[in-house]
Amino acid sequence: MNQQLRKFIVENYLFGGECEFSDDDSLQDRGIIDSTGVLELVAFLEESYRIEVADDELLPENLDSINRLSCFLERKLRVAA
Amino acid sequence: MSSIREFRREDVANVAALWLKVFRRRDGPAPKHLQDYFRNVFFDSPWRDPELPSLVYQEPGKGVAGFLGVIPRAMSFHGAPIRAAVCTQLMVDESARPSYAAAKLVKALFAGAQDLSFSDGANGVSEKLWHSAGGSVALLYSLRWTQVLRPAEYALHQLRRREPLQRLARALLPGARAIDAAVARGALGVLSRKYRLRQPPGTVVEHAPSDETLLSCVRQLCGRRALQPQYSLESFGWLVSRAGDKKLHGDLRKGVVRRLGGEILGWYLYYLQPGEVAQVLQFGGQPGAIHGVLDTLAGDALRQGAVALAGQVEPRFAVELADRGCNFALPGKTPGIWAVAHSKNAALLDAIHRGDAFLTRLEGEWWARFSDPLWSEGAPRGSEHLPSVGQFFPRTDRI
């Protein structure tokens, strides 16, 4: 899952370019995803994993690093299963 | 938990201060006249609708960190009344580290009770945000036209926009004026023919028409569009009066073109500042008379000293504009101001995308004076002439 998320982020926000960031790095602090881009990320999650992200789930705690995204997704998928 | 809630009168001071901070990079309280303007536009408009509020973003224990202005408007779609939310001044104070505030504000807006959300002032960031949330660019209504009236002075006007060339442009001005005078006299052959204005015979212009007269023009001559505004005399008067307050592009001039017998052929409203590009707010008229209306408008602007006319394309009159030698352009990256729309009604959006809507600068947010230099008192020199970035829809830093 982490690899898939990383691939989407690198391709869509870094346009495939080089940028070293760890799975724990804050995507906002690293300037990779901002408030504009987060809706595209949410659309990707909803479409690829067939989940719905509620407005009150639009939080850095859920979306601001690859590991946080991964945990959030696992939680959502568990609930959906 | 962060929260988005409706904009209240008691928020005005905080929101106006936030606006100064985000758009003009000034900290501190907002001056009274800016607060009054916020109050007037968002609370005292004739379309005020508690179900279509402006939105603020606030995290618990913190001040207001985000804002999205909504000006409700009455419109009709195939004759049935609908509510539109004209959106403006999306802003977020990133220093407060709000969690995706801009995205949440736009999502909250789209979930509102309106039939249509629209803005004609979205910069690149807002356009992307709008698009990500399910909205779309209204390409036809993003298209701009320019008609050059004084070719030599217009060339210098373009030069003047580049700071290092401003002195050169000033030095060349007398020569440019002499060339334009020769063009107007018909002394320069092809060039003179190209810029010759054909004054429609048998017409008169009523300058400074009343709101009643202008409103009857809009009602009777805006054409049968699927989507069109619905004005009362009160709401139209309020809007024209607010538009007249805007001084960024000069004074608002109004004209109604009539046949000698009194029949109305068309109307126009535009901002005039001699030596500058005059900005057209709205024009329209009988289908067969648009050429004459445009020629009358251009003639008036030329006599008053404008170097060119510019406006938002009215899709129905694109051919007439092209006939006049107008240049057409979509917004570039800077300032890149787009028209954007969102609706749950696909037919309504379709009407906009095929140009079957009467959506001029008066129906959007272009008329608002948030872009005026007036608010920049005390701001760093030059910031009042920043391009539209930060003047219309949001200027958002890192949102």
Side-chain angles (χ1 to χ4, degrees):
Chain A
M1 190 178 289
N2 282 20
Q3 282 308 313
Q4 203 173 359
L5 290 166
R6 178 176 286 274
K7 184 167 178 280
F8 174 79
I9 288 165
V10 170
E11 282 178 1
N12 290 277
Y13 298 99
L14 303 170
F15 304 104
E18 290 290 317
C19 177
E20 293 292 323
F21 64 100
S22 76
D23 286 358
D24 284 320
D25 278 350
S26 161
L27 299 171
Q28 277 199 97
D29 287 350
R30 295 296 305 267
I32 297 169
I33 295 183
D34 56 17
S35 190
T36 315
V38 77
L39 288 179
E40 290 173 326
L41 177 63
V42 167
F44 166 75
L45 298 180
E46 291 183 334
E47 203 169 296
S48 304
Y49 298 95
R50 301 194 180 279
I51 58 164
E52 275 194 27
V53 180
D55 287 356
D56 59 7
E57 292 173 321
L58 280 178
L59 298 168
E61 292 87 318
N62 293 333
L63 307 171
D64 195 32
S65 73
I66 291 204
N67 277 338
R68 285 177 172 189
L69 274 165
S70 181
C71 290
F72 173 62
L73 263 177
E74 279 172 14
R75 275 201 314 277
K76 294 290 287 185
L77 291 170
R78 229 180 359 253
V79 171
Chain B
M1 280 295 281
S2 59
S3 71
I4 288 174
R5 59 169 174 78
E6 82 281 3
F7 180 36
R8 302 173 192 139
R9 279 184 186 270
E10 57 265 33
D11 294 316
V12 166
N14 288 334
V15 168
L18 178 69
W19 185 91
L20 269 187
K21 183 176 184 179
V22 172
F23 289 108
R24 302 294 167 99
R25 302 194 182 282
R26 275 184 59 191
D27 284 322
K32 183 178 176 299
H33 55 273
L34 179 57
Q35 295 187 36
D36 288 345
Y37 192 66
F38 267 88
R39 220 169 270 121
N40 187 245
V41 168
F42 296 113
F43 292 103
D44 301 333
S45 99
W47 300 285
R48 172 106 173 99
D49 181 345
E51 290 186 2
L52 303 185
S54 298
L55 303 169
V56 297
Y57 177 94
Q58 185 167 24
E59 293 187 357
K62 295 183 180 176
V64 170
F67 175 76
L68 201 171
V70 170
I71 306 169
R73 298 289 288 263
M75 304 194 91
S76 67
F77 183 55
H78 290 301
I82 64 161
R83 289 189 293 182
V86 171
C87 311
T88 181
Q89 310 305 311
L90 172 60
M91 55 185 169
V92 170
D93 176 12
E94 283 300 316
S95 66
R97 294 192 59 77
S99 341
Y100 312 126
K104 288 176 182 172
L105 283 164
V106 173
K107 284 195 81 170
L109 167 76
F110 286 178
Q114 68 276 13
D115 302 283
L116 169 69
S117 307
F118 179 76
S119 174
D120 58 351
N123 68 13
V125 175
S126 311
E127 181 273 312
K128 191 175 166 197
L129 195 54
W130 194 280
H131 193 265
S132 304
S136 55
V137 169
L139 268 182
L140 285 173
Y141 296 91
S142 299
L143 205 54
R144 306 285 185 262
W145 59 270
T146 304
Q147 179 180 8
V148 176
L149 303 174
R150 298 171 191 263
E153 269 198 75
Y154 179 72
L156 292 188
H157 182 271
Q158 297 302 97
L159 265 189
R160 235 171 45 213
R161 295 167 64 175
R162 300 178 184 183
E163 203 162 330
L165 300 176
Q166 284 179 355
R167 284 180 65 183
L168 175 65
R170 268 198 298 274
L172 294 174
L173 189 57
R177 284 182 173 156
I179 292 171
D180 286 335
V183 170
R185 280 199 311 274
L188 291 183
V190 176
L191 203 58
S192 288
R193 282 195 293 281
K194 182 175 177 186
Y195 291 101
R196 186 180 59 200
L197 288 171
R198 292 151 288 186
Q199 294 300 312
T203 61
V204 290
V205 182
E206 178 185 353
H207 295 290
S210 67
D211 290 343
E212 287 94 332
T213 303
L214 285 170
L215 179 57
S216 72
C217 290
V218 174
R219 282 178 175 163
Q220 291 165 30
L221 301 177
C222 78
R224 291 186 175 200
R225 318 294 175 96
L227 178 66
Q228 51 190 54
Q230 292 297 312
Y231 292 117
S232 64
L233 182 57
E234 182 210 1
S235 62
F236 188 75
W238 182 88
L239 186 60
V240 172
S241 177
R242 294 292 76 72
D245 292 339
K246 181 171 178 159
K247 297 298 173 195
L248 180 67
H249 303 293
D251 292 327
L252 183 62
R253 284 180 69 85
K254 308 164 195 171
V256 168
V257 185
R258 295 177 184 268
R259 285 193 210 282
L260 290 178
E263 181 193 1
I264 293 179
L265 297 176
W267 82 101
Y268 55 77
L269 295 104
Y270 76 100
Y271 291 98
L272 176 89
Q273 200 166 354
E276 298 291 329
V277 176
Q279 295 290 334
V280 178
L281 189 60
Q282 186 179 69
F283 74 92
Q286 293 185 18
I290 286 298
H291 283 102
V293 173
L294 285 170
D295 286 343
T296 305
L297 164 60
D300 189 59
L302 180 68
R303 280 189 298 278
Q304 301 297 326
V307 299
L309 274 171
Q312 173 193 299
V313 166
E314 161 61 276
R316 193 162 286 190
F317 302 133
V319 171
E320 286 83 353
L321 289 166
D323 283 347
R324 255 126 213 89
C326 294
N327 302 313
F328 297 93
L330 279 171
K333 281 191 174 177
T334 309
I337 301 300
W338 298 86
V340 287
H342 175 272
S343 177
K344 291 162 194 157
N345 182 342
L348 207 161
L349 273 185
D350 184 55
I352 292 175
H353 291 314
R354 67 171 187 271
D356 194 7
F358 189 76
L359 290 174
T360 71
R361 285 171 160 176
L362 203 55
E363 280 68 50
E365 54 136 335
W366 198 93
W367 54 269
R369 68 183 310 196
F370 288 106
S371 49
D372 270 10
L374 170 71
W375 318 122
S376 291
E377 288 165 1
R381 192 174 164 72
S383 63
E384 64 270 37
H385 293 304
L386 283 171
S388 305
V389 181
Q391 293 182 340
F392 298 109
F393 202 60
R395 156 118 169 242
T396 44
D397 304 306
R398 251 196 100 241
I399 64 167

